[in-house]
């Protein structure tokens, strides 16, 4: 079975055709439980998310701040496995029909086996992977199998990336480019900052891929600001925090659906 890279491409193109940015939501698999994580994905899509990133919980999440680390810890203590991540992708995709990507560090894929991981992700209906710590120059094996199975390879660029490096990264990627708005880890911020706009402009000069901005966006006003210069707005920690702060799972699902609605309205006010 082929993965859903084309669904991702058409979804992002449809948002652009509607003169707006796409809303991309991140939620970890297995948080607060595997079933609860699947329901959370359904909730953010019901609220207005166009694309969802499902996080593969990892014990050493170098890009993730304390909020997502807390959720990862809950998922790992609950015994979440890669099979649960694949189940989350499958059931979320079947229920929503939107592109579902996996965001993961390289070590779990390397241990699991690249061919096995890509084949299972494609079979589950996944659209691709975001790989924040896989160096482009070491990515040939991954890209070979991802291409074979119809999966996008999304690399992360940062404000520190030099123009030549940006060109190398974007030439190897597919689906979209994940532009980290600042140097640091994930988390909500009072301001997204001018670095993000500069990075999007420099990245666009090297590629026709959509450029989507993550790290720091937590409310509708910030989403609208980023949507003014990016093709997609990526929100993770704000959704996870809404779940963590809720008194119970039902309240958490209602909170993330409501937040998705506010953010979806924000990206339409670019």
């Amino acid at each position: 079975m082929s993965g859903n890279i084309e669904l991702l491409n058409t979804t992002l193109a449809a948002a652009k055709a509607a003169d707006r940015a796409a809303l991309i939501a991140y939620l970890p698999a297995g948080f607060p439980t595997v079933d609860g994580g699947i329901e959370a994905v359904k909730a953010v899509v019901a609220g207005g998310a166009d694309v969802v990133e499902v996080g593969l919980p990892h014990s050493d999440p170098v890009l993730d701040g304390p909020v997502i680390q807390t959720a990862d810890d809950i998922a790992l203590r609950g015994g979440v496995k890669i099979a649960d991540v694949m189940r989350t992708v499958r059931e979320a995709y079947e229920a929503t029909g939107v592109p579902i990507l996996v965001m993961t560090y390289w070590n779990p894929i390397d241990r699991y086996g690249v061919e096995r991981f890509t084949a299972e992700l494609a079979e589950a209906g996944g659209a691709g992977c975001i790989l924040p710590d896989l160096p482009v120059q070491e990515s040939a094996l991954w890209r070979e199998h991802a291409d074979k199975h119809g999966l996008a390879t999304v690399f992360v660029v940062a404000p520190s990336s030099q123009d030549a490096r940006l060109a190398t990264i974007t030439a190897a990627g597919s689906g979209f480019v994940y532009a980290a708005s600042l140097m640091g880890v994930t988390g909500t911020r009072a301001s997204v900052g001018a670095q993000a706009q500069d990075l999007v402009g420099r990245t666009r000069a090297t590629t026709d891929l959509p450029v989507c901005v993550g790290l720091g966006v937590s409310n509708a006003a910030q989403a609208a600001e980023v949507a003014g210069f990016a093709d997609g707005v990526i929100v993770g920690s704000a959704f996870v925090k809404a779940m963590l702060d809720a008194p119970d799972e039902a309240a958490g699902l209602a909170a993330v659906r409501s937040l998705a609605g506010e953010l979806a309205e924000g990206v339409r006010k670019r």
Side-chain angles (χ1 to χ4, degrees):
M1 178 176 175
S2 181
N4 271 314
I5 185 173
E6 284 308 315
L7 176 62
L8 176 64
N9 293 340
T10 57
T11 299
L12 294 174
K16 183 176 183 179
D19 194 31
R20 68 174 180 87
L23 174 60
I24 303 175
Y26 166 94
L27 289 161
F31 169 73
T33 62
V34 176
D35 289 341
I38 293 167
E39 292 305 312
V41 174
K42 295 178 186 177
V44 294
V45 174
D50 299 291
V51 178
V52 178
E53 302 172 10
V54 170
L56 194 160
H58 187 50
S59 57
D60 189 23
V62 293
L63 184 69
D64 297 307
V67 171
I68 292 175
Q69 285 184 29
T70 298
D72 276 5
D73 186 58
I74 291 168
L76 291 168
R77 289 175 186 273
V80 71
K81 300 287 191 292
I82 288 179
D84 299 311
V85 178
M86 298 299 179
R87 181 188 153 212
T88 300
V89 172
R90 177 182 292 103
E91 295 191 14
Y93 169 64
E94 289 175 350
T96 66
V98 306
I100 311 286
L101 298 106
V102 169
M103 185 163 184
T104 179
Y105 298 98
W106 180 244
N107 182 260
I109 295 177
D110 191 40
R111 292 287 299 273
Y112 198 71
V114 176
E115 169 60 21
R116 181 185 178 194
F117 190 94
T118 52
E120 290 184 7
L121 182 56
E123 191 276 330
C129 266
I130 300 161
L131 300 159
D133 66 341
L134 177 63
V136 171
Q137 61 269 28
E138 297 176 20
S139 67
L141 178 65
W142 164 266
R143 288 187 285 127
E144 175 190 340
H145 288 289
D147 290 347
K148 181 171 76 172
H149 290 291
L151 299 169
T153 297
V154 179
F155 289 114
V156 178
V157 298
S160 61
S161 301
Q162 299 297 311
D163 291 351
R165 178 68 176 165
L166 288 176
T168 299
I169 292 170
T170 58
S174 56
F176 64 91
V177 182
Y178 187 126
S181 66
L182 41 78
M183 300 302 294
V185 296
T186 60
T188 59
R189 301 288 196 282
S191 173
V192 178
Q195 286 187 102
Q197 187 166 359
D198 174 70
L199 176 59
V200 169
R202 292 193 298 117
T203 304
R204 279 198 178 134
T206 71
T207 184
D208 291 329
L209 289 173
V211 183
C212 304
V213 171
L215 275 67
V217 178
S218 61
N219 58 50
Q222 290 174 332
E225 176 191 355
V226 173
F229 57 81
D231 299 297
V233 179
I234 303 169
V235 180
S237 294
F239 284 120
V240 176
K241 187 174 188 303
M243 294 284 287
L244 284 168
D245 290 348
D248 54 49
E249 187 175 304
L253 295 175
V256 295
R257 179 171 179 164
S258 175
L259 177 58
E262 294 169 17
L263 293 165
E265 189 175 333
V267 302
R268 286 164 173 80
K269 289 181 177 175
R270 55 191 305 175

